[in-house]
Amino acid sequence: MDFEVDARGQQCPIPVVRAKAALREVSEGTVRVLVDNDVAVTNLTNLANTMNCGVSSEKLGDAEFAVTIVKTEQSDTDAEFDTTCLIPEGQANRVVAIGKKTMGSG
């Protein structure tokens, strides 16, 4: 089964969160995520690599990108992924995501 997620106009970490949710719905297949900035492409690529998924991206226009994530039997959608996203230099608005219920480890 294949999914397409339109995350254009959404700030990080929303494209990553939506992509991860779509990947959990797919047993094997492709999730294509549409985004409108380079940072989202980088963050989605990091997500796919962490989950052991195949990933490719293409620039569709000036501010439009498609990131294709391929889930296989070897993919791990439960892998820990730091949802702290890269923030472009000079950007005033920031989003902070906390990926655990507790602080620290060990």
Side-chain angles (χ1 to χ4, degrees), residues 34-92:
L34 302 174
V35 293
D36 57 7
N37 62 79
D38 292 325
V39 173
V41 173
T42 300
N43 292 330
L44 289 165
T45 300
N46 291 341
L47 170 70
N49 290 332
T50 299
M51 295 179 152
N52 198 28
C53 294
V55 63
S56 64
S57 62
E58 65 179 303
K59 187 170 185 170
L60 304 174
D62 285 341
E64 188 173 357
F65 304 86
V67 179
T68 303
I69 303 172
V70 181
K71 183 177 175 183
T72 65
E73 287 182 13
Q74 289 76 34
S75 299
D76 180 10
T77 54
D78 293 324
E80 286 289 325
F81 179 71
D82 183 5
T83 54
T84 304
C85 296
L86 299 174
I87 299 172
E89 193 171 313
Q91 183 175 347

Side-chain angles (χ1 to χ4, degrees), residues 11 87-96:
Q11 296 299 314
I87 299 172
E89 193 171 313
Q91 183 175 347
N93 298 326
R94 290 195 165 77
V95 174
V96 176

